[in-house]
Amino acid sequence: MTVLATFTVQWTDPASFDDEITLQTVLSGRSPTTRLDYDGLALVSVGHCLVATGPDDARHRHRHWSAALVVDDLARTERDLRAAGADIVVPAGDGRTGRFLFARHPGGTVVEYLQWTPETLAAVLGYASTDSTR
């Protein structure tokens, strides 16, 4: 498994969502690239930050989610995670940007692992493929 990119999750309340996106845009010097909804949350990627918001119940369900890692091989990543003692808390599934899963590491941190489509890799990271030598 090769990690191609890491995104921190920046939690914000719904009333501050647009302000947080603006702040992350200024800080990173990048425009938002991906907007999507997941399990009651609104998500926007800006630079290497994923701004997340939603109603209290949705934020509470996902409060331990701290990062999203883009990997080149999700199946291998899942095997490596299991071998290291991680629990898969959301099984691998398909999303708008590719495949994903959520894992709780032995220390309790929840991380999302993503294998993006070539189109998403190109749009967000400028990759022509998942070639990890880039």
Side-chain angles (χ1 to χ4, degrees), residues 38-124:
Y38 173 75
D39 196 28
L41 299 173
L43 308 165
V44 174
S45 64
V46 183
H48 286 278
C49 183
L50 187 60
V51 181
T53 195
D56 289 343
D57 63 325
R59 285 187 290 155
H60 181 75
R61 275 194 312 277
H62 298 286
R63 70 183 180 280
H64 298 297
W65 178 32
S66 61
L69 277 66
V70 179
V71 298
D72 64 340
D73 185 337
L74 192 65
R76 181 173 172 201
T77 299
E78 182 173 357
R79 288 191 302 274
D80 291 348
L81 286 164
R82 288 182 188 278
D87 294 320
I88 306 304
V89 294
V90 175
D94 294 322
R96 195 183 83 186
T97 60
R99 295 191 47 76
F100 66 94
L101 64 80
F102 285 80
R104 184 180 322 281
H105 292 198
T109 301
V110 175
V111 176
E112 178 183 21
Y113 291 88
L114 304 144
Q115 183 176 346
W116 280 347
T117 64
E119 296 80 16
T120 302
L121 282 169
V124 179

